[in-house]
Amino acid sequence: MTLTTAMLCMALNIYHESRGEPLGGQHAVAQVTFNRAGRDPDRVCEEVFKPKQFSWANKLTAAKGVERERLALHYMPKDKKAWNVARGIAYHTINGNVADFTNGAKFYHANTVRPVWRHEFKLVAVIGNHFFYTA
């Protein structure tokens, strides 16, 4: 499978945000990513690396020079099986092969945190260890 830039950004996001989750949770993270991008593949990377959107990307986005290069190497996928799953989910999401079962969710958080913003949105799903919301 050839990875486009959008699929690479989405796969990295799935890998870093949800690789330990059940498949449904990983698909839901992909849907949130795609929903935030307006379901436009050309906007996926912009959304993934937008400041303060996805926890794993925050440090990388804020870093400069050598520190950014070091972090980029740190964030390269090391778990081959999880990386292959993330790439497959990204491929199928971007190509429209998976229906948006999150009902347009654009926000989520792990069950280990209680962000203040969660009260501003409608809870639409709890999948694995994540809560999913629409505006």
Side-chain angles (χ1 to χ4, degrees):
M1 159 186 1
T2 301
L3 282 179
T4 65
T5 303
M7 283 189 268
L8 176 62
C9 291
M10 184 178 289
L12 284 167
N13 204 44
I14 295 162
Y15 179 87
H16 289 295
E17 290 282 310
S18 63
R19 74 179 171 271
E21 292 295 303
L23 280 176
Q26 292 180 61
H27 276 282
V29 166
Q31 290 301 325
V32 167
T33 306
F34 209 37
N35 289 340
R36 286 187 185 186
R39 305 195 71 73
D40 179 355
D42 292 335
R43 292 185 45 219
V44 169
C45 291
E46 173 188 335
E47 288 302 316
V48 168
F49 292 104
K50 192 179 278 185
K52 300 181 181 177
Q53 296 304 304
F54 296 104
S55 58
W56 77 273
N58 288 338
K59 291 177 188 168
L60 187 60
T61 303
K64 304 263 189 264
V66 174
E67 178 65 9
R68 180 176 273 183
E69 290 174 20
R70 187 186 68 72
L71 281 171
L73 288 173
H74 171 75
Y75 285 118
M76 292 301 295
K78 292 166 184 64
D79 180 335
K80 219 173 203 178
K81 182 179 176 187
W83 177 236
N84 286 335
V85 169
R87 287 176 31 217
I89 292 169
Y91 174 86
H92 288 292
T93 301
I94 287 175
N95 285 296
N97 300 333
V98 181
D100 181 9
F101 62 91
T102 70
N103 297 312
K106 290 186 178 179
F107 310 96
Y108 66 90
H109 66 82
N111 64 7
T112 57
V113 297
R114 299 285 182 256
V116 179
W117 56 258
R118 75 188 188 279
H119 299 297
E120 299 173 29
F121 304 110
K122 180 182 176 189
L123 178 65
V124 293
V126 178
I127 303 169
N129 293 309
H130 287 93
F131 293 85
F132 295 85
Y133 302 84
T134 58

